Amino acid sequence: MPLLLVLHWKYGAGSPLPSVNATCATRHQCHSSVMSQIRNQLAQLNSSANALFILYYTAQGDPFPSNLDKLCAPNVTDFPAFHANGTEKAKLVELYRIIAYLGASLGNITQDQKLLNPNALSLHSKLSATADVMRGVLSNVHCRLCNKYHVAHVDVAYGPDTSGKDVFQKKKLGCQLLGKYKQVIGVVTQSF
Amino acid sequence: MAFFAVFRTAFLLAVLSWRTCQSEVLPERLPLTPESLHISINSTLQHLHLQWTVHKLPYQELQMIFQIEISRFETSKVIWMGNYSTTVKRNQVLQWSWESELPLECATHFVRMKSTVDDARFPELSFSSNWSPWEEVHAHTPEQNTDLIFPRDKLVEEGSNVTFCYNSGINQNISCYLDRELIHGEQLYLNIFTFKLNNVPFIREGGTNIYCAVNYTIKDGTVLFVSKVLEEPKDFSCETQDFKTLSCSWDPGVDTGLFFDGQPSQHYTLFESFSGKKKFCEHNNQCNWEISRDLQETYNFTLTAENYLRKRSVNTIFNLTHRVHPKAPDSIHFNNVGATNATMTWKMPALGNYSTLLCQIELHDKENMRQEHNVSIKVNGEFLFSELMPDTAYMVCIRCANAKHVWKWSKWVTRTLITAEAAPSKALDVWRKVKPEKGLHHVTLFWKPLSKFHANGKILFYNIVAKDLDKKSELKLQSIPAPANGTELTLDQGSYQIQVTANNSVGASPASEIVISGDSGNEEVEEQKINGTKDGFLISWKPLSEDRAGYVVDWCEHQRNLHCELQWKNVGPNTTSTVISSDAFRPGIRYNFRIYELSTEKIAYLVENKIGYTQELAPSDSPQVKAINVTSHSFTLSWKDYDTEAQRGFIQGYRVCLKSKATQCHLDSVAELLPDNSTCCEHAINNPKQKIFLVENLQPESFYEFFVSSFTSAGKSPIGTFTKVTTQDEHSHMLMHIILPMVLCVLLIAVMCYWKSQWVKEKCYPDIPDPYKSSILSLIKSKESPHLRIMNVKDCTPDTIEVVNKSEGTKTQFIGIEKPLTESEFPKPANLYLLPAQDFCVPGPCISFVNHTYSESACDSGSCAHTPVPDTAPPCHLELLASPDNLLNTLEKTHTDSLGEIPAGKISLNYVSQLASPMSGDKDSLLIHSPVPVLCSEYKMQMAVPSCLDSPVLSENGSLSSMTLLGQDKHYH
């Protein structure tokens, strides 16, 4: 995988990274159904996003389940933008940024939750499965951008570093991120 | 020197006094004032850490007291005052910490201090310095801080108190919650609110959310981690198994670890004070400590448990040799294993020759411990077991401990020891059953298997040796392989001594002897009934002789089974009673006990024979009864096939239950109510041997039902189906007495009559009646008719048959029958008409002769009579018209049928009878038509008709032309 952006999904990653220099020449041809695969993967993410959100805020304990609008509102200021009425190329680029942002954040959330709630196995499983699908989306989007639009460079940004945050803030930021994810993935899925 | 010291003190006091006076004038600090006060904050521990120095210390060290004041929000709001006493050295940086109840992030704190010399050595210095300037301190908070609640991620122990603060910014209505429970709060300062949690409980390892809301809108939250209280390690001890390693173990108690960064599980360290070594333990319940080569004798261990909040320590001190816990013995072997002894050897691993070991050895058989021994060894051990049982499996258990100081025993090690076999030690218990038959003795020998204690090994076979005591010869008969418990011998009727031995692989048991005498098995003694109980039978007997070796009582375990399973019990010679008990005894089973007396020559003599039940039960079945000799007034019941010995108790008698229509019972019976609420008359039979019963005083031709039940002391047999009997008619026997002779007489007469039938016939009813003997004569006489006379047969010409008016083609009913009917083939006529046929010379009226013997018997007297032929009647034509109308009709019908076959007027044959004499008819006496005397010689016919049906059929011209014989298949003309 020439564009190993996913390698940057490491715990604590938070600052925007420069785009990784790579060329599309060495890549093999994408499968003709790559867009279909992307749509299917997005549909899969969209269908599981709400369940993941519920599992997450339930595991955080009171007051999260009863105060979603305050604690889990999708107020993620630096979240990458998405324009549903853009061209396919533009949408793919924005999707790439979103998935990269979400993937990094999910990595942090997964690690935090394994420490905070080691017994919430279904939440861990759901988080890992979502991260796996995101990696697949990222690969397919990148392939599509390379092969069709010859885009080898996409600047991506990651969420804030939560390693220094206290536990309540970690819970809150994770909940906000998953709320945002649930909201965004619906729009993205619809646009494709 | 003393002078110099006094001088120096006086100088200092003078200087200090001067400075004091000067300070009152000038704001100059006094000496020994704390300086360089630096305050740092530890937010986690909520500590203010103070560091300061005391300059110009006049002595190398002074005992000083520092008075400290701490203010919050403002310097004037002093929240804590206290003293810190310490020995101050010159140029020393002093440190002191203060723990704040309120999170330090919630407020700005101010600190100042002053000092006082409190040193008895220098009483002249006992004055206080000036206060140091207030030092302000702020807790560090991140930039762009949005946190409003402090402390963040607070870790406390269960049961402690925690204070939270909320910085609202403005004075608002704040409420804070812990797991949805409201926490009481108070306003501390302007925009600062505090919330106290007292005695916080442990809720979960993941911490508990605390959050605050303003007007029900959550503003911020934090997580409180509550840890279990670290416990002191329990049961801390150390021991060695090999003098190389000390293994220390303890019970750690609860795990105080929390999730995330709350707090890891407590860790343990081991510190030995004599050597000064310390070791971090990898496990939370045990730790290994290497023993130095110089074998340090005494150890003082301190075990410390520690987490973020607390340390707990325990200590143990011991002598190494007192903490020896040997490993289990190994290399255990048994040598020289015999029938009664064996040697065991073993080794103790890894202890070397450092100490003497005490080993404990236990010997168990299957049931319990038999031997216990203690043996002291160094490394190798050996022990000799004796007084063992042959062919026995023992469990040998061994463990060891330090002999000087038993700290802990090693684990038990168990091995199995099986001793060798020995010859059986006891003679068999033998008994016999003798059955004499055809001059022989069929002897069945029984013996009880030897107990394991006496068998001393596996019994392989039994040897039976029979010795003829009369012939003094010895005969080895049989070797019976185990596990037999008996055999059969056939001996002649001599006396035999039989010896039985049990043999294992080592040898034979002592012989068991028994003697079969010539009259064995022929003893007859009377049976005696005994009463048993559920515990068995108490059997007593009378001795036969004074010189006896003992008694044997034998019985069959399962009496009703074909297989007897003979049991026996040996009783001493001086005992004349015993109790026989067995788990096999069952209620309702008859047991037969035979008591034998054993002579000193081992000959058994039958003494008594007893039968009994442990518990008698009611008979299970009733007798099958037959009713015999049934008469009009009695019948006999018999149940001779009823087996009383097979019943479930001693049969004491019978009850005959008789049901009849009679409402009252006879005197010798009582009314008994049956289960179906009917009653019967019950006759009691109290003799069990009486199996027949005569039921008397019955009514003839009456219906009776009976049932016979047997009874024991426990009750009657169940009532089954009643048998029905009907008594005979009272006169039937009389009829038999009368009818039988009468029948015989009749038969005799019949025989006689048959024998004399010709004579009787001739005398009583000849074929040709004798008119002189006939009643007609009297009739004639009574009429006193002068014209009537008896014709003499001799005067008549014999009858002839004349064929008249023979026509061609006349058909008769005899077509196909060429043979003319003979006289004998014709039925006998009831009325016989004799008409003149041949001689026409007698023109007078015809005379008819009526045989009254037939007519009277066959006809009604009123309707059938002798009819003289009237003058107007056709000549020689006589008829009998005496039949009833119905018969006439029948005849007419028959006649009609006949007419169809034989046309009238075509008579082919006429019987012409000899006319005996002319006879005038009596019109009054004759009911028949008189024949017209046209031609006396032309008589139509002679016929015969069955009795009572002999009605003449008239032809159309009034003449009798034909007649059908009723009941005959043929028509005769």
Side-chain angles (χ1 to χ4, degrees):
Chain A
M1 190 181 287
L3 292 176
L4 292 176
L5 292 174
V6 291
L7 289 177
H8 297 280
W9 291 6
K10 57 186 179 183
Y11 186 73
S15 59
L17 294 174
S19 61
V20 177
N21 288 326
T23 62
C24 295
T26 56
R27 285 194 59 81
H28 58 78
Q29 291 294 318
C30 292
H31 197 272
S32 58
S33 62
V34 67
M35 280 308 295
S36 176
Q37 288 185 28
I38 290 170
R39 288 189 201 96
N40 290 339
Q41 287 167 326
L42 290 175
Q44 186 180 354
L45 290 173
N46 187 36
S47 63
S48 63
N50 191 49
L52 176 62
F53 182 55
I54 294 171
L55 275 174
Y56 182 87
Y57 67 67
T58 303
Q60 309 318 307
D62 190 69
F64 285 88
S66 54
N67 292 275
L68 296 178
D69 55 337
K70 301 294 184 303
L71 299 174
C72 302
N75 301 324
V76 186
T77 54
D78 57 350
F79 198 82
F82 183 79
H83 300 88
N85 52 1
T87 62
E88 182 187 274
K89 177 185 175 183
K91 287 194 292 185
L92 284 172
V93 170
E94 289 176 340
L95 175 61
Y96 192 92
R97 290 192 181 110
I98 289 171
I99 297 299
Y101 184 99
L102 287 173
S105 298
L106 276 181
N108 293 337
I109 292 170
T110 303
Q111 188 164 342
D112 288 342
Q113 289 302 310
K114 285 184 177 176
L115 295 172
L116 274 171
N117 295 300
N119 298 326
L121 299 180
S122 56
L123 173 63
H124 305 158
S125 174
K126 202 83 174 176
L127 285 167
S128 298
T130 303
D132 290 343
V133 177
M134 284 186 179
R135 269 190 282 272
V137 173
L138 206 62
S139 175
N140 285 333
V141 169
H142 175 254
C143 189
R144 180 70 171 177
L145 286 172
C146 267
N147 280 272
K148 186 172 183 180
Y149 302 109
H150 307 290
V151 174
H153 306 279
V154 177
D155 292 331
V156 298
Y158 301 112
D161 181 12
T162 62
S163 59
K165 301 283 185 182
D166 62 78
V167 173
F168 194 84
Q169 289 299 324
K170 287 177 189 286
K171 290 180 177 182
K172 184 179 175 182
L173 289 173
C175 199
Q176 287 175 336
L177 188 278
L178 291 178
K180 182 69 176 178
Y181 161 65
K182 187 187 76 167
Q183 181 192 64
V184 167
I185 200 67
V187 175
V188 172
T189 305
Q190 286 292 327
S191 70
F192 283 94
Chain B
M1 287 297 291
F3 172 78
F4 178 76
V6 170
F7 174 77
R8 191 176 66 173
T9 303
F11 175 76
L12 283 174
L13 287 173
V15 170
L16 287 172
S17 302
W18 178 77
R19 278 193 173 267
T20 302
C21 295
Q22 192 177 38
S23 66
E24 290 175 354
V25 178
L26 299 174
E28 190 178 346
R29 291 186 178 181
L30 289 173
L32 306 179
T33 300
E35 295 178 356
S36 304
L37 179 60
H38 173 75
I39 304 170
S40 59
I41 290 179
N42 184 335
S43 293
T44 304
L45 299 178
Q46 294 184 186
H47 282 182
L48 284 178
H49 191 68
L50 279 62
Q51 288 180 312
W52 71 95
T53 57
V54 177
H55 291 284
K56 299 176 182 177
L57 203 65
Y59 298 101
Q60 193 64 31
E61 61 178 29
L62 279 176
Q63 186 70 31
M64 298 183 72
I65 297 173
F66 297 93
Q67 187 177 356
I68 303 170
E69 284 185 354
I70 299 175
S71 299
R72 185 180 288 158
F73 300 115
E74 299 172 5
T75 55
S76 59
K77 295 182 180 297
V78 176
I79 58 169
W80 188 86
M81 291 178 62
N83 294 332
Y84 170 57
S85 179
T86 186
T87 300
V88 181
K89 294 179 181 175
R90 189 172 293 173
N91 300 324
Q92 179 186 4
V93 177
L94 297 165
Q95 299 183 25
W96 180 79
S97 290
W98 174 74
E99 182 179 2
S100 173
E101 182 185 357
L102 186 74
L104 297 174
E105 293 88 347
C106 297
T108 300
H109 288 79
F110 301 90
V111 180
R112 70 173 183 174
M113 65 172 60
K114 65 180 180 181
S115 64
T116 302
V117 176
D118 184 26
D119 198 326
R121 296 174 296 174
F122 311 105
E124 68 279 7
L125 298 178
S126 298
F127 59 90
S128 297
S129 71
N130 291 333
W131 285 103
S132 67
W134 286 102
E135 289 292 330
E136 182 178 349
V137 60
H138 300 273
H140 172 73
T141 55
E143 295 181 3
Q144 300 175 346
N145 182 32
T146 57
D147 297 337
L148 301 173
I149 301 176
F150 294 98
R152 316 295 293 188
D153 300 343
K154 179 68 175 177
L155 170 66
V156 294
E157 274 186 339
E158 182 181 21
S160 58
N161 302 327
V162 187
T163 300
F164 285 87
C165 69
Y166 180 83
N167 187 351
S168 67
I170 56 174
N171 190 358
Q172 291 175 318
N173 185 18
I174 307 296
S175 54
C176 293
Y177 302 87
L178 170 67
D179 258 4
R180 297 187 181 182
E181 287 191 10
L182 184 64
I183 311 170
H184 175 69
E186 61 182 12
Q187 188 173 12
L188 185 64
Y189 183 76
L190 296 178
N191 56 342
I192 301 297
F193 292 82
T194 58
F195 300 88
K196 270 195 168 183
L197 292 172
N198 295 321
N199 193 20
V200 291
F202 171 81
I203 299 176
R204 61 181 73 89
E205 288 88 348
T208 307
N209 295 329
I210 293 176
Y211 52 96
C212 295
V214 177
N215 297 329
Y216 306 106
T217 300
I218 290 179
K219 294 298 182 182
D220 192 18
T222 185
V223 174
L224 173 65
F225 290 94
V226 181
S227 153
K228 295 274 187 181
V229 179
L230 180 65
E231 297 177 8
E232 186 177 88
K234 293 183 278 292
D235 302 329
F236 174 52
S237 68
C238 299
E239 63 187 26
T240 182
Q241 291 190 314
D242 52 8
F243 286 101
K244 293 178 181 176
T245 304
L246 269 170
S247 176
C248 299
S249 60
W250 60 91
D251 176 7
V254 296
D255 186 356
T256 61
L258 298 172
F259 294 160
F260 199 61
D261 291 333
Q263 177 177 261
S265 296
Q266 69 269 27
H267 64 270
Y268 294 85
T269 53
L270 202 58
F271 175 71
E272 204 284 306
S273 62
F274 294 112
S275 62
K277 292 180 181 176
K278 188 176 184 180
K279 184 178 182 182
F280 179 82
C281 299
E282 296 180 354
H283 305 284
N284 68 345
N285 62 348
Q286 67 97 15
C287 205
N288 289 330
W289 185 273
E290 296 294 326
I291 296 175
S292 58
R293 291 185 178 181
D294 57 358
L295 286 180
Q296 175 184 338
E297 187 177 353
T298 304
Y299 289 82
N300 183 7
F301 279 110
T302 300
L303 176 68
T304 303
E306 184 176 2
N307 62 10
Y308 283 171
L309 302 173
R310 189 185 291 267
K311 282 184 180 180
R312 288 289 181 91
S313 296
V314 291
N315 181 266
T316 181
I317 182 168
F318 56 86
N319 189 315
L320 181 63
T321 57
H322 294 176
R323 292 292 185 271
V324 178
H325 181 195
K327 291 183 178 178
D330 62 7
S331 303
I332 299 173
H333 300 287
F334 295 105
N335 306 317
N336 304 322
V337 178
T340 57
N341 50 48
T343 302
M344 182 177 74
T345 59
W346 69 95
K347 286 184 179 178
M348 286 304 296
L351 275 177
N353 290 318
Y354 295 119
S355 61
T356 302
L357 294 170
L358 174 67
C359 293
Q360 197 174 55
I361 302 169
E362 290 182 358
L363 185 76
H364 299 258
D365 60 11
K366 282 185 178 179
E367 296 167 354
N368 44 40
M369 187 174 71
R370 295 297 181 187
Q371 297 179 17
E372 184 177 13
H373 307 278
N374 291 325
V375 181
S376 291
I377 65 166
K378 280 289 186 181
V379 177
N380 299 316
E382 180 176 315
F383 184 78
L384 173 64
F385 290 105
S386 59
E387 298 178 350
L388 302 177
M389 297 298 301
D391 189 44
T392 302
Y394 292 97
M395 299 288 288
V396 178
C397 305
I398 181 172
R399 65 177 183 176
C400 299
N402 187 12
K404 291 181 180 176
H405 188 280
V406 177
W407 162 247
K408 284 182 182 177
W409 289 96
S410 69
K411 289 183 180 178
W412 284 106
V413 179
T414 302
R415 294 288 186 273
T416 301
L417 167 64
I418 300 176
T419 53
E421 291 188 359
S425 59
K426 186 183 177 185
L428 289 165
D429 184 2
V430 179
W431 188 233
R432 89 295 181 271
K433 188 166 66 176
V434 181
K435 184 180 179 183
E437 187 179 66
K438 297 178 181 178
L440 297 174
H441 275 156
H442 295 286
V443 179
T444 305
L445 289 176
F446 301 92
W447 57 82
K448 295 176 182 174
L450 290 173
S451 66
K452 184 170 179 56
F453 179 77
H454 293 113
N456 292 340
K458 183 179 180 182
I459 298 299
L460 302 176
F461 57 92
Y462 297 92
N463 276 339
I464 292 97
V465 178
K467 183 187 293 180
D468 190 336
L469 296 178
D470 300 329
K471 300 175 183 176
K472 305 296 182 184
S473 62
E474 185 173 298
L475 176 63
K476 182 177 181 179
L477 289 176
Q478 291 183 21
S479 179
I480 311 295
N485 60 356
T487 188
E488 291 185 355
L489 304 174
T490 300
L491 306 172
D492 57 31
Q493 287 192 334
S495 296
Y496 282 88
Q497 182 193 59
I498 300 173
Q499 293 182 338
V500 184
T501 56
N503 298 263
N504 60 15
S505 62
V506 177
S509 68
S512 180
E513 291 182 3
I514 195 166
V515 174
I516 306 298
S517 64
D519 54 354
S520 294
N522 294 321
E523 306 95 335
E524 291 291 340
V525 295
E526 186 179 355
E527 280 186 348
Q528 298 175 5
K529 293 180 181 177
I530 56 173
N531 293 322
T533 65
K534 62 180 180 181
D535 298 325
F537 295 88
L538 174 61
I539 296 174
S540 59
W541 60 89
K542 293 178 181 177
L544 277 181
S545 63
E546 294 295 329
D547 191 13
R548 56 186 177 267
Y551 296 95
V552 173
V553 180
D554 75 6
W555 70 96
C556 288
E557 189 88 338
H558 304 289
Q559 189 69 26
R560 285 189 175 178
N561 294 347
L562 293 176
H563 185 55
C564 169
E565 285 194 34
L566 187 71
Q567 306 293 314
W568 69 93
K569 181 179 181 180
N570 295 303
V571 182
N574 298 321
T575 305
T576 56
S577 66
T578 186
V579 174
I580 304 294
S581 59
S582 170
D583 293 336
F585 286 154
R586 296 286 179 270
I589 303 294
R590 176 180 290 199
Y591 295 100
N592 186 7
F593 299 93
R594 290 173 295 186
I595 301 100
Y596 293 88
E597 185 177 282
L598 287 177
S599 67
T600 52
E601 293 82 17
K602 301 289 184 183
I603 301 174
Y605 299 98
L606 181 61
V607 179
E608 290 184 16
N609 190 2
K610 298 177 183 294
I611 55 174
Y613 298 83
T614 56
Q615 181 187 352
E616 287 193 68
L617 302 176
S620 58
D621 54 343
S622 298
Q624 298 292 321
V625 184
K626 297 176 183 176
I628 57 176
N629 300 334
V630 179
T631 66
S632 57
H633 291 284
S634 66
F635 57 83
T636 302
L637 303 178
S638 173
W639 57 94
K640 291 185 178 178
D641 295 335
Y642 187 62
D643 186 4
T644 55
E645 294 187 357
Q647 300 307 317
R648 303 195 295 176
F650 292 119
I651 298 297
Q652 296 182 344
Y654 305 94
R655 295 284 186 266
V656 179
C657 190
L658 192 68
K659 288 203 288 189
S660 66
K661 294 180 180 178
T663 56
Q664 290 188 344
C665 295
H666 198 261
L667 291 177
D668 61 350
S669 62
V670 294
E672 183 75 13
L673 183 64
L674 298 174
D676 59 354
N677 292 327
S678 62
T679 57
C680 74
C681 296
E682 189 174 85
H683 300 260
I685 300 172
N686 294 323
N687 180 8
K689 295 181 179 177
Q690 179 182 337
K691 297 183 179 180
I692 192 166
F693 181 73
L694 176 62
V695 184
E696 298 177 297
N697 303 319
L698 305 179
Q699 295 298 320
E701 284 188 287
S702 296
F703 178 74
Y704 293 92
E705 290 181 280
F706 67 85
F707 182 78
V708 177
S709 59
S710 58
F711 67 93
T712 66
S713 62
K716 291 196 295 185
S717 61
I719 293 178
T721 306
F722 276 71
T723 306
K724 300 173 179 59
V725 173
T726 303
T727 53
Q728 293 182 348
D729 182 8
E730 189 176 15
H731 304 290
S732 59
H733 66 286
M734 296 179 63
L735 290 173
M736 291 298 294
H737 290 313
I738 297 170
I739 290 172
L740 191 61
M742 288 181 66
V743 169
L744 292 174
C745 290
V746 168
L747 285 175
L748 183 61
I749 292 170
V751 171
M752 293 290 292
C753 290
Y754 180 76
W755 184 37
K756 294 293 185 179
S757 58
Q758 292 301 320
W759 178 80
V760 170
K761 184 178 179 184
E762 290 177 1
K763 292 295 182 184
C764 297
Y765 50 97
D767 291 338
I768 302 172
D770 188 355
Y772 296 100
K773 296 179 181 177
S774 173
S775 58
I776 194 65
L777 189 60
S778 59
L779 182 63
I780 294 171
K781 287 179 178 177
S782 64
K783 296 294 181 177
E784 292 179 353
S785 176
H787 304 288
L788 296 177
R789 65 185 180 86
I790 295 171
M791 184 183 69
N792 193 348
V793 177
K794 295 175 181 176
D795 297 338
C796 292
T797 306
D799 292 348
T800 59
I801 295 174
E802 181 185 4
V803 178
V804 294
N805 296 334
K806 183 178 181 182
S807 59
E808 293 296 331
T810 301
K811 295 179 180 177
T812 69
Q813 287 291 94
F814 297 110
I815 295 173
I817 302 177
E818 297 296 332
K819 181 182 178 182
L821 291 173
T822 61
E823 182 180 0
S824 62
E825 289 173 318
F826 282 95
K828 297 293 183 184
N831 295 332
L832 183 61
Y833 303 96
L834 298 176
L835 300 174
Q838 191 172 16
D839 291 336
F840 309 105
C841 57
V842 183
C846 296
I847 299 171
S848 72
F849 178 78
V850 177
N851 190 342
H852 285 270
T853 304
Y854 293 101
S855 63
E856 286 180 359
S857 63
C859 300
D860 186 52
S861 59
S863 59
C864 191
H866 177 251
T867 307
V869 179
D871 294 339
T872 57
C876 302
H877 192 175
L878 293 175
E879 291 182 282
L880 185 61
L881 300 176
S883 301
D885 294 340
N886 56 345
L887 295 179
L888 282 174
N889 294 337
T890 305
L891 275 174
E892 284 172 5
K893 182 176 183 293
T894 309
H895 169 66
T896 305
D897 294 340
S898 303
L899 289 178
E901 297 175 0
I902 306 173
K906 292 183 179 179
I907 304 302
S908 60
L909 289 175
N910 280 336
Y911 289 87
V912 179
S913 177
Q914 180 185 8
L915 189 63
S917 62
M919 185 180 66
S920 59
D922 191 351
K923 293 179 180 179
D924 296 333
S925 60
L926 294 175
L927 297 176
I928 59 173
H929 302 285
S930 301
V932 179
V934 177
L935 289 174
C936 289
S937 61
E938 193 175 355
Y939 295 103
K940 290 296 180 181
M941 63 185 296
Q942 176 179 325
M943 65 188 68
V945 295
S947 60
C948 296
L949 296 177
D950 46 355
S951 174
V953 178
L954 299 176
S955 62
E956 291 178 352
N957 55 7
S959 63
L960 186 63
S961 61
S962 68
M963 187 171 181
T964 301
L965 297 178
L966 298 176
Q968 301 292 329
D969 292 333
K970 298 175 182 178
H971 292 184
Y972 303 96
H973 294 268

